[in-house]
Amino acid sequence: APAPSPRPSREDITPPVDVETLSGTGRASGTDAVTEAYVTPLVRKLAAQEGVDLSQVQGTGVGGRIRKQDVQEAARRRREAPAAPA
Amino acid sequence: MSDNGGTFDLLILGAGSGGYAAAIRASELGMKVGLIEKDKLGGTCLHVGCIPTKALLHSAEVADAARDSETFGVKAGFEGIDMAGVNAYKDKVVSRMFRGLTGLIKAHGITVIEGEGKLTGPDEVTVDGTAYKGTNILLATGSKPKTLGLDIDGEKIITSEHALKLDRVPKSVVVLGGGVIGVEFASVWRSYGAEVTIVEALPHLVPVEEESSSKLLERAFRKRGIKYELGTPFESVKTTDSGVSVTLQGGKSLEAEMMLVAIGRAPVSEGLGYEEQGIQLERGFVKVDENLHTGVGNIYAVGDLIPTLQLAHVGFAEGIYVAEQLAGLNPPAIDYAGVPRITYSEPEVASVGLTSKAAKERGYEIVEQDYNLGGNGKSQILQTQGSVKVIAQKDGPVLGVHMVGSRVGELTAEAQLIYNWEALPSEVAQLIHPHPTQSEALGEAHLALAGKPLHVHE
Amino acid sequence: MSDNGGTFDLLILGAGSGGYAAAIRASELGMKVGLIEKDKLGGTCLHVGCIPTKALLHSAEVADAARDSETFGVKAGFEGIDMAGVNAYKDKVVSRMFRGLTGLIKAHGITVIEGEGKLTGPDEVTVDGTAYKGTNILLATGSKPKTLGLDIDGEKIITSEHALKLDRVPKSVVVLGGGVIGVEFASVWRSYGAEVTIVEALPHLVPVEEESSSKLLERAFRKRGIKYELGTPFESVKTTDSGVSVTLQGGKSLEAEMMLVAIGRAPVSEGLGYEEQGIQLERGFVKVDENLHTGVGNIYAVGDLIPTLQLAHVGFAEGIYVAEQLAGLNPPAIDYAGVPRITYSEPEVASVGLTSKAAKERGYEIVEQDYNLGGNGKSQILQTQGSVKVIAQKDGPVLGVHMVGSRVGELTAEAQLIYNWEALPSEVAQLIHPHPTQSEALGEAHLALAGKPLHVHE
Ligand SMILES: Cc1cc2nc3c(=O)[nH]c(=O)nc-3n(C[C@H](O)[C@H](O)[C@H](O)COP(=O)(O)OP(=O)(O)OC[C@H]3O[C@@H](n4cnc5c(N)ncnc54)[C@H](O)[C@@H]3O)c2cc1C
Ligand SMILES: Cc1cc2nc3c(=O)[nH]c(=O)nc-3n(C[C@H](O)[C@H](O)[C@H](O)COP(=O)(O)OP(=O)(O)OC[C@H]3O[C@@H](n4cnc5c(N)ncnc54)[C@H](O)[C@@H]3O)c2cc1C
């Protein structure tokens, strides 16, 4: 039987955009910078998989929200971009 | 020599949740499927498990509603339970679902082979003298009640199967085992008017749940007049003229009309030729690797037969997994921690993901928010108590959701997405939940974890 | 000259869902907040909207359960409704939530200013002769029932506010308007035993919902004996000795003990100084830009006062949005299509996302799966009928979820994540839903859309 592709574990995924501070007390502490660009977990995971830096992506969703298509497009452009001169 | 029953791409032994889900998915993927069943399509869950117990629990809910109707300004006297009526309702639901399933299996062109099968080769199952060949074989023979060697007479000392067929409401019952099944029956009988005592050797009811959930359930049960003996192992039982006399370690004894033995379910793996073909068993469970492969030939196993969570939807998921695996679809492994667990008692206990204890054991630094249903409008309307506790990794995703309260089981659907999609509290908090619903409690807990509590009392 | 009431970072006019949510969030973000309310903290939703109506609906559910108890093997005679008891229960829930909210506002250090406020400058609201200054001002004066100029006497011709205070169950009612509020009251009164006729000018009940949902509700209401006149506009009403006589266009007339006018809610924006300060109104609604800014000074507006969905959780979301916006957090815009909508009638109607019509208008090529609750075990147990319809973009994400059935409202929580996170059907299908729950119907619809139906009859 073919081996299943490994499921990315929680440890593998470092949230690239969330710099929110959780206080656990229910009170905000520090900036809630995640609101700068609302990214859904599915988009965040896709970006992590594709190695896309979300801060460089222009969102096309409601209110400039970054959608999966935007990440896929960014990944495609990056792949197609000519390699930087050595 | 046995007759030749033909060759199947996938030959499945047992048509319960695991077996029939594999059959359906495999047939969708173009395989020729043989499904062997000695009893009825649907197995434990449909006939003596999930469905009939939840029908009893709904009758119980109706009984409670009638009993408490005055609280809501409704004049309705509760006059008792008509077990014949309960059973007719329950059987009607089961047979309707059974007809549906039978039609589904037929529509998929799956060959159903009636009879008791035995594994007679690495690619062969024999049923009533006919040998069927399978390019792949799936073992899905499920489980049966554990009885600890007790003398189950079906009258005074019973298992869940007998409990589902009672023609009367017992005056008093001792429920041996405070796990899901024991707690559900205790809840039903109490709503029906019985005196119920649960005996559990571990220190808590539903002991695999988050400890705070167990405590909330215990408090609710105490209010409902359901008694329990926790941390006191059972010692012995003897039948008396009027019922049973149960002795606990330490000497305490309990008298009741009957005793339900609900101490877990053991895999059905004996005498079926498994070991003869080289399949390894452990405490009766078939051992499988992460692909649910037994290590022998092309033999796989799913459901209650293997040592994963004994839940119908786990059986479904495993059955589908094996079918997709065989079709070369390379399905992602099942994350068992991400499977929703529901105890359908009144109140319900439900969870997805890790308990705080497990999360700490795995080395996570965690933050928690326990949202009391006292602050949730819809729960107040239902007059239910309980809480929704969300556990997250510090600066990271949600690791677990643990809930207690009437009807909270349905909330695991959302919790399942949150956990499995590794959502951050802030990503959930961004979406304001519909008002007034119980799901708002989940929303509030995430809002609080995201540092922006709305209706949260400190 | 008016007295000086001090200066606030945020001065809020109206303490309903929109106003108080903004107050809480702003105070969390360090602002000094003044909250002006002429009546009670909590506004329409808490006192004469969401909460009391859902209490009535739960009493109605209890009444139905008692009436149908025999179906479930429970002996309980339904003997009628005790409106004093219903009202005591409803008021108890409301006052409990009210106490909670009052405590919350206090704990956040928000200054509550009691009295009727009027906008008297671009940074000033005057209450009883005292002028309060706000660096920022939020208008959240909400809405009130539309009456079409009818002579509401509160006895025979009533609005929802009177309907919530009735001391008896009317023998018969004409409900003018088949939107959410009309349908909910029709459902309550029918459960309480009244003869009910809904009059709706548009061709369907809950006309903004997916057409198939409207049709399922109509079928269910027909079975329940709730009558409706669709596509026939109301012409006139006159009171008679025994009640009302209602005439429809075309001449048909209906007699009843009373008529509920539930034809929508109009913004409360008159005589409050809005226009004098240059704020633009459109059909009475305050016009705002996408930041909920009125275009005048630092004046914002939220809730039922602006022409967005008239829902409490929209008010919450808008209030939070304004507070975060002022704190410079740059919050993401609210996607109104992604807000869950629930009609809490029996059966419930619930949706998130686009209708198939709207999806097509936006140019999407769509695929649909309509899963009948007949195939869903838990819905069979509840003996409810209906369906869960999921609409997805062809080869793309889920665009809309539309449901009908008892208790389906809670399922919008999951649907909300699916829609707002733009999940593909296959991503949802990967997660097998807990068995037996109503949420499985949502799971099955996604499985089918992902090309791997499990319990789906073609
Ligand atoms: C009282 C009770 C309540 C439950 N409630 C829930 C619930 O609410 N939710 C939930 O998720 N789970 C619930 N469960 C658990 C659930 O029923 C099981 O997890 C599920 O049925 C396991 O499916 P399976 O296919 O592995 O085995 P089974 O459903 O046990 O099916 C095995 C099938 O194999 C057949 N079989 C066995 N040996 C042979 C043979 N030699 N030849 C031919 N056929 C054979 C049997 O007849 C049976 O039909 C409950 C269980 C019980 C007992
Ligand atoms: C019968 C009914 C049932 C409903 N059910 C639901 C439901 O189940 N779910 C849901 O989401 N929504 C429901 N709604 C809608 C919901 O109630 C509203 O969307 C919500 O209340 C709007 O909040 P708001 O803050 O904009 O306005 P409101 O709640 O109307 O609050 C406005 C506040 O401003 C105060 N005010 C007005 N003018 C002044 C002034 N000049 N000075 C001082 N104070 C002033 C008022 O006294 C009031 O307290 C229902 C509504 C009704 C009528």
Side-chain angles (χ1 to χ4, degrees), chain B residues 278-322:
Chain B
I279 290 171
Q280 288 182 49
L281 302 186
E282 194 176 308
R283 294 175 299 128
F285 290 107
V286 166
K287 282 174 81 171
V288 289
D289 67 12
E290 46 175 23
N291 291 328
L292 307 177
H293 185 244
T294 61
V296 177
N298 292 327
I299 306 181
Y300 296 79
V302 296
D304 282 8
L305 182 61
I306 64 172
T308 52
L309 284 172
Q310 293 181 325
L311 290 170
H313 43 292
V314 168
F316 295 151
E318 290 174 341
I320 292 170
Y321 178 88
V322 168

Side-chain angles (χ1 to χ4, degrees), chain C residues 172-174 195 240 242-246 254-259:
Chain C
S172 56
V173 199
V174 167
E195 292 298 324
T240 62
S242 59
V244 292
S245 175
V246 179
L254 306 164
E255 314 292 314
E257 190 176 326
M258 54 179 73
M259 178 171 87

Side-chain angles (χ1 to χ4, degrees), chain A residues 4 10 20 22 26 28 38 44, chain B residues 291 330 419 422 427 449-450 453:
Chain A
R10 278 159 198 281
E20 170 196 27
L22 290 170
Y38 180 58
R44 182 166 48 78
Chain B
N291 291 328
N330 203 6
Y419 174 85
E422 299 177 344
E427 290 162 340
L449 284 173

Side-chain angles (χ1 to χ4, degrees), chain A residues 7 26-28 31-43 61-69, chain C residues 24-25 27-29 107-108 324 328-336 364 393 397 420-424 427:
Chain A
R7 180 183 190 275
R27 285 283 174 202
T31 53
D32 194 11
V34 69
T35 56
E36 289 284 339
Y38 180 58
V39 177
T40 75
L42 294 168
V43 167
V62 177
R65 213 160 288 185
I66 300 172
R67 311 179 60 193
K68 277 190 216 157
Q69 294 92 307
Chain C
I24 290 173
R25 187 68 183 121
S27 83
E28 285 168 9
L29 292 166
H108 278 79
E324 296 189 344
L329 292 188
N330 202 9
I334 297 165
D335 178 355
Y336 289 97
Y364 289 112
Q393 186 180 351
N420 285 285
W421 292 351
E422 297 182 331
L424 303 173
E427 287 164 331

